Amino acid sequence: MSMYPSLEDMKVDQMAKAQVQYGQQVAHAVTGAAQAHPPAGYPAAQPPAGYPVASAPSSSLYPVLDEFMGLSLTPEAIAANMPVVVSHPPGALATRGPASSTSNWVAPITGQNNQGVARSEIKQGVRQAILCKDGDGKMGLRVQAISKGIFVQFVQKDSPAAMGGLRFGDQILQINDENVAGWSKDKTMKVLKKANKERIVMAIRDRPFERTITLQKDSTNHVGFVFKNGKITQIAKDTSAARNGLLIDHALLEVNGQNVIGLKDKDISKILAATERSVTLTIMPNFVFDHMMKSMSSSLVKGSMDHSIPEI
């Protein structure tokens, strides 16, 4: 069963498949009729060796995709992400990208190798992070205890934690082979403070309280939601945000993988406006976010949080 980054990707793929199937049926019917009833005294026409049977004139492959769901979609834009449809209609409708949890997605609008999707991806499983401390003996990391687990609450820009790939919301499972389940925030920070500055090994689970949603901009460069103080407050009817299940009462954490926590709303709006047609948001329920940010200095978050664009 095919999976899609957005509802719009699914609808365009389904439409393209339906049109390809219809074109093949028309071509088959016309060719069969011509061969069954050739003019008197003439043999049925046969295509030259090595050439496919020509199809009957029909509508273009994507006649109804312009302004589809409010999106400005040209045949060229769709074909760029579905090259197999144009060159080999009977085959698959999308190319495959590098192996990942999204490598089997069909993405005629978003694009199979969309960097925003790749940067935002919440990977399943557990990974190892090897960190150190800076010249001041710090890692640039703060944590919060939630439901007997330890989670990354703050990553300072240009710090060892940032360079080690830690992100807001990551769950720390072990520190130097010691399980942290049930630890308090204070105990975790004490262990980290006493740890060897040269090598600190952590087992990390990617952001279990977060989820990502890919949206498609309409012809006015909007995706259809309103936010205030970094939290989603309204969803516009008949927009990509509404179609793809974006919810209010959620905090906006990342835009195409870039952390926006602590940024002013106007700065987040600029980041959203600068993105291409497809934009992937990372969100978290407000009640979890508020608990995660408990006791965090707003000035520290605004001035020192890592807002860099992650490498992929």
Side-chain angles (χ1 to χ4, degrees):
M1 181 173 61
S2 297
M3 295 292 290
Y4 306 84
S6 70
L7 183 141
E8 291 87 351
D9 284 293
M10 182 180 74
K11 292 299 184 182
V12 168
D13 180 58
Q14 290 173 345
M15 291 170 63
K17 287 178 179 177
Q19 291 185 31
V20 169
Q21 184 178 15
Y22 175 74
Q24 291 171 345
Q25 290 173 347
V26 171
H28 179 74
V30 172
T31 302
Q35 292 179 345
H37 304 285
Y42 289 87
Q46 297 295 330
Y51 286 82
V53 176
S55 61
S58 62
S59 58
S60 63
L61 189 58
Y62 305 104
V64 295
L65 296 183
D66 277 355
E67 299 300 324
F68 176 67
M69 290 189 175
L71 311 176
S72 295
L73 301 174
T74 64
E76 292 77 17
I78 300 299
N81 291 314
M82 299 177 70
V84 182
V85 173
V86 177
S87 58
H88 302 91
L93 291 179
T95 56
R96 296 189 183 277
S100 74
S101 64
T102 62
S103 63
N104 292 326
W105 281 8
V106 179
I109 300 178
T110 303
Q112 194 69 33
N113 299 312
N114 184 281
Q115 291 189 332
V117 172
R119 293 190 184 106
S120 304
E121 183 180 0
I122 298 174
K123 296 181 174 62
Q124 301 302 311
V126 177
R127 74 178 191 274
Q128 187 179 74
I130 301 177
L131 310 177
C132 62
K133 297 181 181 180
D134 61 19
D136 296 325
K138 297 181 179 180
M139 299 173 58
L141 172 71
R142 292 194 181 187
V143 302
Q144 182 62 275
I146 300 178
S147 300
K148 300 298 182 180
I150 296 296
F151 297 83
V152 175
Q153 178 189 46
F154 170 80
V155 177
Q156 186 173 354
K157 59 184 178 182
D158 301 323
S159 66
M163 290 184 284
L166 293 187
R167 293 163 80 160
F168 176 88
D170 279 345
Q171 183 179 6
I172 301 175
L173 306 179
Q174 287 188 336
I175 299 175
N176 291 334
D177 293 326
E178 192 171 359
N179 294 328
V180 304
W183 286 13
S184 66
K185 170 182 177 178
D186 291 339
K187 179 178 179 178
T188 304
M189 294 306 297
K190 287 180 181 178
V191 169
L192 291 174
K193 186 175 182 179
K194 294 178 180 179
N196 188 323
K197 66 179 182 179
E198 301 293 337
R199 181 181 172 89
I200 302 169
V201 181
M202 295 184 179
I204 303 293
R205 184 179 296 281
D206 263 13
R207 304 168 284 160
F209 287 128
E210 303 173 22
R211 68 182 179 119
T212 63
I213 296 182
T214 298
L215 307 177
Q216 309 297 337
K217 291 184 176 181
D218 60 21
S219 55
T220 65
N221 204 41
H222 294 94
V223 293
F225 72 95
V226 177
F227 62 94
K228 183 177 181 180
N229 297 325
K231 295 181 176 179
I232 300 167
T233 58
Q234 298 180 50
I235 307 295
K237 184 179 179 181
D238 296 328
T239 62
S240 186
R243 287 191 292 268
N244 285 284
L246 188 65
L247 302 175
I248 63 170
D249 298 326
H250 277 65
L252 188 56
L253 308 182
E254 296 179 351
V255 175
N256 283 345
Q258 180 180 2
N259 186 305
V260 296
I261 299 171
L263 294 182
K264 295 180 179 179
D265 286 348
K266 65 178 182 179
D267 294 325
I268 299 176
S269 295
K270 289 179 181 178
I271 293 174
L272 285 167
T275 62
E276 297 182 352
R277 179 179 56 234
S278 301
V279 54
T280 300
L281 306 178
T282 305
I283 59 175
M284 172 186 282
N286 282 348
F287 71 92
V288 179
F289 179 79
D290 291 341
H291 187 69
M292 185 82 78
M293 299 301 291
K294 188 177 180 180
S295 303
M296 272 296 298
S297 166
S298 59
S299 60
L300 180 64
V301 174
K302 293 177 180 178
S304 300
M305 178 75 88
D306 179 28
H307 294 128
S308 62
I309 299 175
E311 297 181 359
I312 54 175

